[in-house]
Amino acid sequence: MDVDAFVLTHRPTWDRLEELVKRRKHLTGAEVDELVDLYQRVSTHLSVLRTNSTDGALVGRLSGLVAQARSAVTGAHAPLWREFARFWTVSFPVVAYRARWWWLSTGAAFLVLSAVIAVWVAGSAEVRATIGTPDEIDQLVNNDFASYYSEHPAASFALQVWTNNAWIALLCLGFAVVLGIPIPYILLQNAANLGVNAGLMFGAGKGDIFLGLITPHGLLELTAVFVAAGAGMRLGWTVISPGHRPRGQVLAEQGRAIAAVAGGLVAMLLISGLIEALVTPSPLPTAVRIAIGVAAEVGFFVYVFVLGRRAARAGESGDLEDAPDLVPTG
């Protein structure tokens, strides 16, 4: 089957059904009959596409439209808890999963660059001399770096950390509107900062302290930034290469899906902020603190790759407009 021709032929029907669904509270009798008829026809179209198309975003969008139309016909409203549950079990994990190669490659490049800078700084006294005076570096490695995590009350520190990291993540998402071009620069700045601090600490023989303080919260925190950067650059690339569908339609779908990323990152950064405020400076053994950070990171990967893969295979796109605001009852 020629899927492009099929879509071109039936898109007016889908658009008309979408229009009726949006006006479902103000339809005339004739329009209600039309809604029922179009719902049945579009359900058939969806069945055909599920069998013949590999375009998950298109299938996901049509699935949402059919679900909304079915619910408009039956008139049963979805409770808020169902929408909340759908967000965490479908919308956020599927968007993160679909963008996985973007943020995984972003993370790999970030860590490699940080490691190169760290080795360069740790191995060169000349480089360290350009960063600060011996007294300034001594103050950092022997006092400031460790005290940073304990000099403020836990609650206020957690809020400060969350606000800072949320701002970086939202910048990455926001820059998607300019094709994601500034995002690599933001990542470069953060990679350089991490690499310099690691190099100074390792160069002073304090590498164990550095890893013991950074690892518990840093794994999930950096992953959140990588997800934001990957999703933002993916959206930018969508504008450049939309595939076989209209650029405006693809951009709108991906843009709405970005909202799911933003919501999910709030939770990720909140968790990493709590770990940084409560676990990192705690008297727990270093191995225990690191284990908590690793557990949080593994939990995120399991969450995304289990629920996200399942939703992707079901044709979900993460487009918030696909989420049925009504529960089918018939």
Side-chain angles (χ1 to χ4, degrees):
M1 184 186 77
D2 188 335
V3 176
D4 291 337
F6 184 87
V7 172
L8 186 63
T9 299
H10 297 293
R11 186 180 300 281
T13 300
W14 305 342
D15 292 343
R16 175 58 177 167
L17 177 60
E18 185 174 24
E19 177 189 350
L20 292 176
V21 168
K22 289 180 178 178
R23 295 194 297 106
R24 56 185 172 272
K25 294 182 180 180
H26 307 285
L27 298 179
T28 64
E31 287 176 329
V32 170
D33 291 338
E34 183 184 6
L35 172 64
V36 173
D37 176 62
L38 291 180
Y39 157 64
Q40 294 172 336
R41 290 164 57 187
V42 176
S43 296
T44 302
H45 298 164
L46 175 60
S47 178
V48 172
L49 284 174
R50 284 189 187 278
T51 303
N52 297 279
S53 175
T54 59
D55 189 337
L58 176 61
V59 172
R61 180 181 180 228
L62 211 58
S63 297
L65 177 59
V66 168
Q68 291 175 342
R70 182 190 304 120
S71 301
V73 171
T74 57
H77 292 269
L80 183 61
W81 68 265
R82 188 181 296 273
E83 297 179 2
F84 180 81
R86 175 183 167 81
F87 176 85
W88 292 111
T89 58
V90 175
S91 300
F92 175 55
V94 78
V95 173
Y97 179 76
R98 288 187 178 278
R100 63 193 182 281
W101 297 121
W102 285 87
W103 56 267
L104 286 173
S105 58
T106 295
F110 180 99
L111 295 176
V112 168
L113 179 59
S114 295
V116 169
I117 294 174
V119 171
W120 182 44
V121 172
S124 174
E126 291 79 7
V127 172
R128 293 195 295 275
T130 66
I131 296 174
T133 66
D135 288 342
E136 291 172 337
I137 294 176
D138 181 73
Q139 176 69 16
L140 171 67
V141 301
N142 291 307
N143 182 64
D144 292 352
F145 189 83
S147 65
Y148 169 78
Y149 296 97
S150 56
E151 63 185 6
H152 301 291
S156 62
F157 186 53
L159 179 61
Q160 174 187 342
V161 169
W162 179 85
T163 302
N164 177 71
N165 295 329
W167 173 244
I168 294 174
L170 290 177
L171 274 179
C172 290
L173 295 179
F175 279 135
V177 301
V178 287
L179 307 184
I181 294 173
I183 295 176
Y185 176 70
I186 295 176
L187 296 175
L188 177 62
Q189 285 184 312
N190 283 272
N193 182 61
L194 178 63
V196 167
N197 279 280
L200 292 176
M201 293 294 287
F202 274 89
K206 303 282 186 177
D208 56 335
I209 296 177
F210 175 82
L211 293 177
L213 292 174
I214 284 290
T215 306
H217 66 275
L219 291 173
L220 189 62
E221 177 184 290
L222 286 176
T223 300
V225 173
F226 298 155
V227 171
M233 288 188 290
R234 182 174 186 247
L235 177 59
W237 181 251
T238 295
V239 178
I240 299 172
S241 179
H244 299 296
R245 294 185 295 150
R247 178 174 282 103
Q249 178 191 343
V250 176
L251 180 60
E253 290 174 2
Q254 294 298 323
R256 289 189 295 267
I258 284 290
V261 174
L265 292 179
V266 169
M268 287 182 67
L269 292 171
L270 177 60
I271 294 171
S272 69
L274 290 174
I275 293 174
E276 186 167 1
L278 303 176
V279 176
T280 298
S282 75
L284 290 171
T286 299
V288 174
R289 288 186 281 114
I290 290 177
I292 292 174
V294 171
E297 178 77 348
V298 170
F300 172 75
F301 271 80
V302 171
Y303 166 70
V304 168
F305 281 84
V306 172
L307 295 184
R309 180 187 290 116
R310 179 187 305 164
R313 288 177 175 175
E316 296 285 354
S317 67
D319 184 348
L320 296 182
E321 200 167 88
D322 288 343
D325 58 354
L326 301 164
V327 180
T329 60

